[in-house]
Amino acid sequence: MTDFAWVDQPDPVGVRDLLDAVSAADGRPSLPDDGSLPGEYRGGDRLLAVRDGAVVGFVGLNTGGDAFGRQVAELVVRPADRRGGIGAELTSRLLDHVGITEGTEPGDALRVWAHGDQPAAAALAKRFGFRRAREMRRLRMPLTGEIAAPTLRDGIRLRAFVPGQDEDAVIDVNQLAFAWHPEQGAMTVDDLRADEAESWFDAAGFLLAVDSDDRVVGFHWTKVHPDIDGSPMGEVYVVGVHPDAQGGGLGKALTLAGLGYLRDERQVDRVMLYVESDNEPALAVYGKLGFTLWDADVQYAH
């Protein structure tokens, strides 16, 4: 028998055991190497499915919403317990929890991630009246070939992020560069400072483009995952350019600088990134650099 309940403080060990099993089977989510939970699984409202004392299903609902006020949920089921109705029950209880009933007019108040764009997730979404609203592509490339040197226009130089000094300037650029983005556009100074406390944070790999007055006009925040398919992997985590500095190749220069850092300083031989499927300019740049499609995540809306 499986028990379902919304809880205030789920057992982090039980949830981590579930996520370990899910990550081993699906390659997602990316898990911190210190045994803690990823940020998207820590707060908000939590729904657990428990069988024989083990967490076999989980819903994490971000009630604060994304940058456009939509509640966003993560829903996972332990691989060994899939196709047994747990996902459907979790989805039904999630809809009840947020007040969406059968016959509700189509809208965009709730979004749920489906990592890997699996057919089973698509079928579940269709059953409960969700529509496919967003596709986040994951690209990858080897870092074994030549990486071109970045070309910066006159008056622009690169330097590393300085904790305690650069947070406000980076967030100012970030909010302007990603005003359209549901997650990145909502990032705050407090969020950035919280990331600085994470084990993966590397200030030397947080590259800033600054002008002659040391004003931040762009940045490339890199990241290294300690174990993806058995070995470390770099990530082009965020590349942001102030709107006034766009169109002059700064984004490409920052990307190249970060790739060089990941290969030469962090000693990784492959790299990944996430990009929206409708961001054609970014897809064109990454394609020319040698990135190819790995897989995709989908958000379903209700």
Side-chain angles (χ1 to χ4, degrees), residues 141-169:
M141 67 173 283
L143 283 180
T144 52
E146 181 179 356
I147 299 175
T151 300
L152 298 169
R153 70 173 187 266
D154 290 344
I156 301 297
R157 64 184 176 89
L158 300 182
R159 66 167 175 84
F161 175 88
V162 179
Q165 170 186 297
D166 292 322
E167 287 86 355
D168 287 331

Side-chain angles (χ1 to χ4, degrees), residues 10 21 47 62 83 91 200 232 254 256 275 289:
L47 171 62
N62 176 2
R83 301 186 183 279
T91 303
W200 54 264
L254 281 163
L256 290 171
V275 61
L289 290 174

Side-chain angles (χ1 to χ4, degrees), residues 225-269:
H225 300 267
D227 184 2
I228 292 184
D229 297 334
S231 63
M233 188 172 197
E235 180 179 352
V236 177
Y237 189 43
V238 189
V239 177
V241 177
H242 192 289
D244 292 343
Q246 291 175 2
L250 182 56
K252 179 180 179 181
L254 281 163
T255 301
L256 290 171
L259 294 177
Y261 174 83
L262 288 168
R263 184 189 65 181
D264 300 337
E265 303 300 328
R266 298 301 303 272
Q267 301 294 300
V268 296
D269 60 6

Side-chain angles (χ1 to χ4, degrees), residues 76-100:
V76 293
V77 177
R78 190 169 67 180
D81 293 278
R82 291 172 180 171
R83 301 186 183 279
I86 292 175
E89 184 65 22
L90 289 171
T91 303
S92 178
R93 289 173 180 254
L94 170 63
L95 290 173
D96 287 344
H97 187 71
V98 300
I100 296 176

Side-chain angles (χ1 to χ4, degrees), residues 103-221:
T104 298
E105 290 296 320
D108 199 7
L110 171 69
R111 290 196 173 190
V112 180
W113 279 109
H115 298 291
D117 196 11
Q118 301 294 335
L124 189 65
K126 182 178 180 180
R127 173 179 170 183
F128 284 93
F130 286 83
R131 62 179 176 83
R132 188 183 181 100
R134 179 183 174 196
E135 179 183 314
M136 179 78 80
R137 295 181 183 175
R138 189 164 64 154
L139 313 182
R140 62 182 173 181
M141 67 173 283
L143 283 180
T144 52
E146 181 179 356
I147 299 175
T151 300
L152 298 169
R153 70 173 187 266
D154 290 344
I156 301 297
R157 64 184 176 89
L158 300 182
R159 66 167 175 84
F161 175 88
V162 179
Q165 170 186 297
D166 292 322
E167 287 86 355
D168 287 331
V170 166
I171 292 301
D172 286 346
V173 172
N174 182 82
Q175 290 179 342
L176 290 170
F178 293 101
W180 55 274
H181 197 278
E183 294 88 31
Q184 193 63 32
M187 190 173 193
T188 66
V189 169
D190 287 342
D191 294 331
L192 176 51
R193 287 177 177 149
D195 283 339
E196 291 174 35
E198 298 286 350
S199 59
W200 54 264
F201 182 79
D202 173 24
F206 198 154
L207 305 178
L208 307 185
V210 298
D211 64 14
S212 57
D213 294 320
D214 204 41
R215 289 186 297 240
V216 178
V217 296
F219 62 90
H220 181 177
W221 189 354

Side-chain angles (χ1 to χ4, degrees), residues 15 41 64 102 106 118 120 133 155 200 227 236 243 257 276 294:
V15 176
Y41 291 88
E102 185 175 355
Q118 301 294 335
W200 54 264
D227 184 2
V236 177
E276 301 286 346
W294 187 357

Side-chain angles (χ1 to χ4, degrees), residues 2-133:
T2 304
D3 296 318
F4 298 85
W6 290 94
V7 298
D8 292 329
Q9 296 295 333
D11 172 21
V13 175
V15 176
R16 175 66 190 229
D17 287 344
L18 166 66
L19 296 181
D20 282 337
V22 171
S23 181
D26 301 342
R28 314 285 179 81
S30 179
L31 300 173
D33 57 359
D34 61 1
S36 63
L37 300 179
E40 63 268 31
Y41 291 88
R42 295 178 193 169
D45 294 350
R46 279 75 63 91
L47 171 62
L48 297 186
V50 178
R51 176 183 295 165
D52 298 329
V55 180
V56 297
F58 177 91
V59 171
L61 176 64
N62 176 2
T63 55
D66 61 18
F68 302 103
R70 298 174 294 225
Q71 296 186 74
V72 181
E74 298 278 351
L75 188 158
V76 293
V77 177
R78 190 169 67 180
D81 293 278
R82 291 172 180 171
R83 301 186 183 279
I86 292 175
E89 184 65 22
L90 289 171
T91 303
S92 178
R93 289 173 180 254
L94 170 63
L95 290 173
D96 287 344
H97 187 71
V98 300
I100 296 176
T101 59
E102 185 175 355
T104 298
E105 290 296 320
D108 199 7
L110 171 69
R111 290 196 173 190
V112 180
W113 279 109
H115 298 291
D117 196 11
Q118 301 294 335
L124 189 65
K126 182 178 180 180
R127 173 179 170 183
F128 284 93
F130 286 83
R131 62 179 176 83
R132 188 183 181 100

